[in-house]
Amino acid sequence: MTGSTFLSLIKFSLSSLFILFLFWRLFRREYDKRNDLDYRNKKMARLILLAFFAVGSVFDLYNLFYIFKFVHWGEMYVHYIGSKYYKELGYSNLYNATVVADAEGKNLIPDHQRLTDLNTYRYVRKKDVLRDKEKYKAPFSRRRWEEFKSDTLFFQKSVNPVCFGTILLDHGYHVPPTWNATSHIISSLTPVKYVWLLPRLDLIILAVMFWFIYTTLGVEMMLVTLIFFSLNFLSSFYWIGGSLLRYDWFVCSVIALCMIYKNRYRAAGAWLSYAVMVRVFPIFFALGLFVKAVFEFIKRGRIPKRYLDFFGVFLAGCLILFFYGFINSRGIDSWAELARKLKLHNENVFTNSVAAKMLFIRDNTSWKTPLAFHKAYGNTEIEPFELFIDAVKAAFHRHRHMFLLFAVCSMILFSIMAVRVSDAKAFGWGTFLLFALTCPTNYYYIFLMLLVINFYEDRINLINTANIALLFLLQITGYIVDNRMGHFYLGIHYTLSVFILFYFVYLAIAESIHLRIPPRSEPDRKF
């Protein structure tokens, strides 16, 4: 999840240093008024130094091979092959067709290999798949089948057999047809031997995102967000950074927030529409503005123009991108198949899930701690482990009424906060609802950076400094727990889910206090 132990130690140390920097900034801003220019120069020097080492920790201490040729072969296989052959494979047959292609070729996959049935998230055996091999070959033309076999063999030769076997145990390809329409073009135009070029696309769009942050909020905010992005434990670049367009939704969400800061609501709606149509869950970021618009209508009998602009462009963008998703897909059936896939995904809690839902799978009648659960039900690092899933579903079913009550309280809290805060903060509060109501995978938690943008320079006081410090303490906690639990992901993500819930409770209290206290001065957004 986090790369080497040495790099994890560096990220742990840098996160700790950034927290010290936050309190140094608070002291200098609030209590030491000497030489303001000297303070700003020292502040920028410290941030630049932290950013330099933080980015270095992402790229293996500026290893040129890592920067220019790093590929996460598992992620790349699923998204390159999945998009290139989507018409033939859909969302369900990637692994089955892979086994058939291997059996007709070098037969590198061992006969005892298990793989995930992407329709049920249950295991099936290689021999069971081969009984229906003609079913998986039928959608291919002869030329496309030979090309698929060749591409599959390339990936098999790029990793050792054990690693390739673990790829077949993952949850597969489940991105919306809109994303598939673009990535299909890219993967079809890129010969498989040049897949190492594709991860650089994410680096380019991330650079564009940080440029938007710089032009909107200044160089200091750009450096702070760059540090947070680089040190993030849950969404380590090592995990998904070596694949194909894995950050496009995030880039567009951040740019949408920047457009709100600039009062360009139409542009914000356009950017967010793309984020929603390529990952669905960014719709939660728009809910805060929706609540504010409804409240204004109830209170004043009209909806402010900025909300009409935002949602008008947002809905138009979603509609256009919906039909764009028909390109290189199976038409309307693609969206129906995606809906079934997402329903299946959200019904389960996996070892790499981070959500409030995790708190409701703990059942004292069957396990006392995540570690005891791990020992009782086996190695949960291999997903989807049937016994683990069955036990989790049973535990959650027993606590479903408590979760429903929690969900209702969460929506009430969200609505109250969205109405009371600014539009930009209402956008960021969507992260709370996303955590409370759904079950995101750990690597999507880079969206917490929206809160860094909202609060880093909002008010430089103890309450807000502690707010940002908690987000970095979350990273520190992740590195500590990961080291102590030895990659026992259920325990790690259960612990971090508890921490994130505590953070949002603190955030609600802190915002309530701030709303009662007028700011002393306007924050300086640009350096």
Side-chain angles (χ1 to χ4, degrees), residues 324-344:
Y324 172 69
F326 288 3
I327 300 175
N328 299 313
S329 72
R330 300 178 175 186
I332 194 67
D333 290 341
S334 297
W335 290 100
E337 189 179 1
L338 174 70
R340 291 191 295 270
K341 182 78 172 179
L342 294 180
K343 181 176 182 293
L344 173 67

PDB file of all heavy atoms in Angstrom, residues 324-344:
ATOM      1  N   TYR A 324     -22.020  10.154 -24.446  1.00  0.00           N
ATOM      2  CA  TYR A 324     -20.624   9.930 -24.862  1.00  0.00           C
ATOM      3  C   TYR A 324     -20.159   8.535 -24.436  1.00  0.00           C
ATOM      4  O   TYR A 324     -19.379   7.888 -25.131  1.00  0.00           O
ATOM      5  CB  TYR A 324     -19.736  11.007 -24.255  1.00  0.00           C
ATOM      6  CG  TYR A 324     -18.255  10.783 -24.448  1.00  0.00           C
ATOM      7  CD1 TYR A 324     -17.665  10.891 -25.703  1.00  0.00           C
ATOM      8  CD2 TYR A 324     -17.434  10.463 -23.369  1.00  0.00           C
ATOM      9  CE1 TYR A 324     -16.301  10.686 -25.884  1.00  0.00           C
ATOM     10  CE2 TYR A 324     -16.071  10.267 -23.525  1.00  0.00           C
ATOM     11  CZ  TYR A 324     -15.509  10.378 -24.787  1.00  0.00           C
ATOM     12  OH  TYR A 324     -14.164  10.168 -24.951  1.00  0.00           O
ATOM     13  N   GLY A 325     -20.684   8.062 -23.287  1.00  0.00           N
ATOM     14  CA  GLY A 325     -20.316   6.740 -22.801  1.00  0.00           C
ATOM     15  C   GLY A 325     -20.768   5.603 -23.695  1.00  0.00           C
ATOM     16  O   GLY A 325     -20.311   4.466 -23.538  1.00  0.00           O
ATOM     17  N   PHE A 326     -21.666   5.884 -24.643  1.00  0.00           N
ATOM     18  CA  PHE A 326     -22.093   4.844 -25.571  1.00  0.00           C
ATOM     19  C   PHE A 326     -20.992   4.474 -26.571  1.00  0.00           C
ATOM     20  O   PHE A 326     -21.037   3.414 -27.193  1.00  0.00           O
ATOM     21  CB  PHE A 326     -23.322   5.298 -26.356  1.00  0.00           C
ATOM     22  CG  PHE A 326     -24.583   5.353 -25.535  1.00  0.00           C
ATOM     23  CD1 PHE A 326     -24.572   5.065 -24.183  1.00  0.00           C
ATOM     24  CD2 PHE A 326     -25.786   5.697 -26.120  1.00  0.00           C
ATOM     25  CE1 PHE A 326     -25.735   5.111 -23.428  1.00  0.00           C
ATOM     26  CE2 PHE A 326     -26.959   5.755 -25.382  1.00  0.00           C
ATOM     27  CZ  PHE A 326     -26.926   5.464 -24.030  1.00  0.00           C
ATOM     28  N   ILE A 327     -20.004   5.377 -26.733  1.00  0.00           N
ATOM     29  CA  ILE A 327     -18.916   5.121 -27.681  1.00  0.00           C
ATOM     30  C   ILE A 327     -18.095   3.926 -27.181  1.00  0.00           C
ATOM     31  O   ILE A 327     -17.691   3.870 -26.018  1.00  0.00           O
ATOM     32  CB  ILE A 327     -18.012   6.357 -27.833  1.00  0.00           C
ATOM     33  CG1 ILE A 327     -18.825   7.542 -28.355  1.00  0.00           C
ATOM     34  CG2 ILE A 327     -16.830   6.068 -28.745  1.00  0.00           C
ATOM     35  CD1 ILE A 327     -18.037   8.837 -28.410  1.00  0.00           C
ATOM     36  N   ASN A 328     -17.821   2.997 -28.048  1.00  0.00           N
ATOM     37  CA  ASN A 328     -16.999   1.822 -27.741  1.00  0.00           C
ATOM     38  C   ASN A 328     -17.526   1.046 -26.536  1.00  0.00           C
ATOM     39  O   ASN A 328     -16.756   0.508 -25.742  1.00  0.00           O
ATOM     40  CB  ASN A 328     -15.541   2.251 -27.484  1.00  0.00           C
ATOM     41  CG  ASN A 328     -14.924   2.912 -28.683  1.00  0.00           C
ATOM     42  OD1 ASN A 328     -15.033   2.415 -29.794  1.00  0.00           O
ATOM     43  ND2 ASN A 328     -14.279   4.051 -28.468  1.00  0.00           N
ATOM     44  N   SER A 329     -18.832   1.011 -26.359  1.00  0.00           N
ATOM     45  CA  SER A 329     -19.403   0.263 -25.243  1.00  0.00           C
ATOM     46  C   SER A 329     -20.587  -0.553 -25.759  1.00  0.00           C
ATOM     47  O   SER A 329     -20.735  -0.772 -26.961  1.00  0.00           O
ATOM     48  CB  SER A 329     -19.840   1.211 -24.128  1.00  0.00           C
ATOM     49  OG  SER A 329     -20.998   1.939 -24.506  1.00  0.00           O
ATOM     50  N   ARG A 330     -21.446  -0.964 -24.854  1.00  0.00           N
ATOM     51  CA  ARG A 330     -22.600  -1.780 -25.217  1.00  0.00           C
ATOM     52  C   ARG A 330     -23.888  -0.979 -25.118  1.00  0.00           C
ATOM     53  O   ARG A 330     -24.952  -1.519 -24.807  1.00  0.00           O
ATOM     54  CB  ARG A 330     -22.670  -2.998 -24.296  1.00  0.00           C
ATOM     55  CG  ARG A 330     -21.428  -3.878 -24.376  1.00  0.00           C
ATOM     56  CD  ARG A 330     -21.520  -5.033 -23.407  1.00  0.00           C
ATOM     57  NE  ARG A 330     -20.389  -5.949 -23.546  1.00  0.00           N
ATOM     58  CZ  ARG A 330     -20.275  -7.106 -22.909  1.00  0.00           C
ATOM     59  NH1 ARG A 330     -21.241  -7.497 -22.086  1.00  0.00           N
ATOM     60  NH2 ARG A 330     -19.228  -7.876 -23.076  1.00  0.00           N
ATOM     61  N   GLY A 331     -23.806   0.328 -25.331  1.00  0.00           N
ATOM     62  CA  GLY A 331     -24.975   1.185 -25.298  1.00  0.00           C
ATOM     63  C   GLY A 331     -25.548   1.311 -23.903  1.00  0.00           C
ATOM     64  O   GLY A 331     -24.839   1.311 -22.902  1.00  0.00           O
ATOM     65  N   ILE A 332     -26.868   1.379 -23.823  1.00  0.00           N
ATOM     66  CA  ILE A 332     -27.541   1.561 -22.534  1.00  0.00           C
ATOM     67  C   ILE A 332     -27.298   0.380 -21.615  1.00  0.00           C
ATOM     68  O   ILE A 332     -27.328   0.510 -20.377  1.00  0.00           O
ATOM     69  CB  ILE A 332     -29.053   1.789 -22.753  1.00  0.00           C
ATOM     70  CG1 ILE A 332     -29.697   2.326 -21.461  1.00  0.00           C
ATOM     71  CG2 ILE A 332     -29.723   0.509 -23.225  1.00  0.00           C
ATOM     72  CD1 ILE A 332     -29.261   3.700 -21.072  1.00  0.00           C
ATOM     73  N   ASP A 333     -27.037  -0.788 -22.185  1.00  0.00           N
ATOM     74  CA  ASP A 333     -26.771  -1.968 -21.360  1.00  0.00           C
ATOM     75  C   ASP A 333     -25.516  -1.789 -20.516  1.00  0.00           C
ATOM     76  O   ASP A 333     -25.402  -2.397 -19.438  1.00  0.00           O
ATOM     77  CB  ASP A 333     -26.621  -3.219 -22.237  1.00  0.00           C
ATOM     78  CG  ASP A 333     -27.946  -3.646 -22.852  1.00  0.00           C
ATOM     79  OD1 ASP A 333     -28.994  -3.220 -22.326  1.00  0.00           O
ATOM     80  OD2 ASP A 333     -27.921  -4.385 -23.855  1.00  0.00           O
ATOM     81  N   SER A 334     -24.570  -0.977 -20.987  1.00  0.00           N
ATOM     82  CA  SER A 334     -23.347  -0.732 -20.224  1.00  0.00           C
ATOM     83  C   SER A 334     -23.662  -0.065 -18.895  1.00  0.00           C
ATOM     84  O   SER A 334     -23.105  -0.420 -17.852  1.00  0.00           O
ATOM     85  CB  SER A 334     -22.386   0.155 -21.025  1.00  0.00           C
ATOM     86  OG  SER A 334     -21.976  -0.486 -22.205  1.00  0.00           O
ATOM     87  N   TRP A 335     -24.563   0.928 -18.932  1.00  0.00           N
ATOM     88  CA  TRP A 335     -24.927   1.618 -17.702  1.00  0.00           C
ATOM     89  C   TRP A 335     -25.719   0.701 -16.775  1.00  0.00           C
ATOM     90  O   TRP A 335     -25.539   0.754 -15.544  1.00  0.00           O
ATOM     91  CB  TRP A 335     -25.733   2.877 -18.018  1.00  0.00           C
ATOM     92  CG  TRP A 335     -24.910   3.945 -18.667  1.00  0.00           C
ATOM     93  CD1 TRP A 335     -24.851   4.252 -19.996  1.00  0.00           C
ATOM     94  CD2 TRP A 335     -24.014   4.838 -18.001  1.00  0.00           C
ATOM     95  NE1 TRP A 335     -23.966   5.292 -20.208  1.00  0.00           N
ATOM     96  CE2 TRP A 335     -23.446   5.673 -19.001  1.00  0.00           C
ATOM     97  CE3 TRP A 335     -23.635   5.018 -16.673  1.00  0.00           C
ATOM     98  CZ2 TRP A 335     -22.525   6.660 -18.694  1.00  0.00           C
ATOM     99  CZ3 TRP A 335     -22.706   6.009 -16.366  1.00  0.00           C
ATOM    100  CH2 TRP A 335     -22.162   6.818 -17.370  1.00  0.00           C
ATOM    101  N   ALA A 336     -26.584  -0.137 -17.318  1.00  0.00           N
ATOM    102  CA  ALA A 336     -27.337  -1.086 -16.492  1.00  0.00           C
ATOM    103  C   ALA A 336     -26.401  -2.094 -15.837  1.00  0.00           C
ATOM    104  O   ALA A 336     -26.544  -2.429 -14.649  1.00  0.00           O
ATOM    105  CB  ALA A 336     -28.380  -1.805 -17.350  1.00  0.00           C
ATOM    106  N   GLU A 337     -25.408  -2.568 -16.609  1.00  0.00           N
ATOM    107  CA  GLU A 337     -24.436  -3.511 -16.063  1.00  0.00           C
ATOM    108  C   GLU A 337     -23.591  -2.853 -14.987  1.00  0.00           C
ATOM    109  O   GLU A 337     -23.276  -3.463 -13.956  1.00  0.00           O
ATOM    110  CB  GLU A 337     -23.547  -4.047 -17.190  1.00  0.00           C
ATOM    111  CG  GLU A 337     -22.648  -5.195 -16.770  1.00  0.00           C
ATOM    112  CD  GLU A 337     -21.795  -5.721 -17.908  1.00  0.00           C
ATOM    113  OE1 GLU A 337     -21.882  -5.188 -19.032  1.00  0.00           O
ATOM    114  OE2 GLU A 337     -21.025  -6.667 -17.658  1.00  0.00           O
ATOM    115  N   LEU A 338     -23.224  -1.575 -15.197  1.00  0.00           N
ATOM    116  CA  LEU A 338     -22.455  -0.842 -14.189  1.00  0.00           C
ATOM    117  C   LEU A 338     -23.264  -0.701 -12.896  1.00  0.00           C
ATOM    118  O   LEU A 338     -22.725  -0.854 -11.801  1.00  0.00           O
ATOM    119  CB  LEU A 338     -22.069   0.535 -14.715  1.00  0.00           C
ATOM    120  CG  LEU A 338     -21.383   1.445 -13.695  1.00  0.00           C
ATOM    121  CD1 LEU A 338     -19.988   0.923 -13.382  1.00  0.00           C
ATOM    122  CD2 LEU A 338     -21.311   2.882 -14.198  1.00  0.00           C
ATOM    123  N   ALA A 339     -24.547  -0.401 -13.013  1.00  0.00           N
ATOM    124  CA  ALA A 339     -25.397  -0.253 -11.825  1.00  0.00           C
ATOM    125  C   ALA A 339     -25.416  -1.537 -11.008  1.00  0.00           C
ATOM    126  O   ALA A 339     -25.332  -1.502  -9.769  1.00  0.00           O
ATOM    127  CB  ALA A 339     -26.811   0.144 -12.244  1.00  0.00           C
ATOM    128  N   ARG A 340     -25.512  -2.671 -11.680  1.00  0.00           N
ATOM    129  CA  ARG A 340     -25.488  -3.958 -10.963  1.00  0.00           C
ATOM    130  C   ARG A 340     -24.140  -4.176 -10.289  1.00  0.00           C
ATOM    131  O   ARG A 340     -24.071  -4.668  -9.154  1.00  0.00           O
ATOM    132  CB  ARG A 340     -25.790  -5.101 -11.932  1.00  0.00           C
ATOM    133  CG  ARG A 340     -27.224  -5.131 -12.448  1.00  0.00           C
ATOM    134  CD  ARG A 340     -27.526  -6.423 -13.171  1.00  0.00           C
ATOM    135  NE  ARG A 340     -26.740  -6.570 -14.385  1.00  0.00           N
ATOM    136  CZ  ARG A 340     -27.130  -6.142 -15.587  1.00  0.00           C
ATOM    137  NH1 ARG A 340     -28.300  -5.527 -15.716  1.00  0.00           N
ATOM    138  NH2 ARG A 340     -26.372  -6.326 -16.646  1.00  0.00           N
ATOM    139  N   LYS A 341     -23.084  -3.794 -10.983  1.00  0.00           N
ATOM    140  CA  LYS A 341     -21.741  -3.967 -10.440  1.00  0.00           C
ATOM    141  C   LYS A 341     -21.528  -3.091  -9.211  1.00  0.00           C
ATOM    142  O   LYS A 341     -20.987  -3.538  -8.185  1.00  0.00           O
ATOM    143  CB  LYS A 341     -20.724  -3.604 -11.524  1.00  0.00           C
ATOM    144  CG  LYS A 341     -19.270  -3.784 -11.122  1.00  0.00           C
ATOM    145  CD  LYS A 341     -18.856  -5.233 -11.170  1.00  0.00           C
ATOM    146  CE  LYS A 341     -17.362  -5.368 -10.959  1.00  0.00           C
ATOM    147  NZ  LYS A 341     -16.913  -6.756 -10.977  1.00  0.00           N
ATOM    148  N   LEU A 342     -21.941  -1.829  -9.269  1.00  0.00           N
ATOM    149  CA  LEU A 342     -21.775  -0.919  -8.139  1.00  0.00           C
ATOM    150  C   LEU A 342     -22.630  -1.347  -6.951  1.00  0.00           C
ATOM    151  O   LEU A 342     -22.219  -1.200  -5.794  1.00  0.00           O
ATOM    152  CB  LEU A 342     -22.113   0.514  -8.563  1.00  0.00           C
ATOM    153  CG  LEU A 342     -21.179   1.147  -9.600  1.00  0.00           C
ATOM    154  CD1 LEU A 342     -21.633   2.560  -9.931  1.00  0.00           C
ATOM    155  CD2 LEU A 342     -19.731   1.147  -9.108  1.00  0.00           C
ATOM    156  N   LYS A 343     -23.822  -1.869  -7.232  1.00  0.00           N
ATOM    157  CA  LYS A 343     -24.685  -2.368  -6.153  1.00  0.00           C
ATOM    158  C   LYS A 343     -23.997  -3.522  -5.439  1.00  0.00           C
ATOM    159  O   LYS A 343     -23.971  -3.579  -4.196  1.00  0.00           O
ATOM    160  CB  LYS A 343     -26.025  -2.808  -6.728  1.00  0.00           C
ATOM    161  CG  LYS A 343     -27.016  -3.324  -5.685  1.00  0.00           C
ATOM    162  CD  LYS A 343     -28.351  -3.652  -6.339  1.00  0.00           C
ATOM    163  CE  LYS A 343     -29.373  -4.132  -5.306  1.00  0.00           C
ATOM    164  NZ  LYS A 343     -29.004  -5.433  -4.734  1.00  0.00           N
ATOM    165  N   LEU A 344     -23.430  -4.443  -6.198  1.00  0.00           N
ATOM    166  CA  LEU A 344     -22.712  -5.566  -5.612  1.00  0.00           C
ATOM    167  C   LEU A 344     -21.528  -5.066  -4.792  1.00  0.00           C
ATOM    168  O   LEU A 344     -21.280  -5.533  -3.675  1.00  0.00           O
ATOM    169  CB  LEU A 344     -22.231  -6.508  -6.720  1.00  0.00           C
ATOM    170  CG  LEU A 344     -21.308  -7.660  -6.301  1.00  0.00           C
ATOM    171  CD1 LEU A 344     -22.065  -8.647  -5.420  1.00  0.00           C
ATOM    172  CD2 LEU A 344     -20.736  -8.360  -7.539  1.00  0.00           C
TER     173      LEU A 344
END
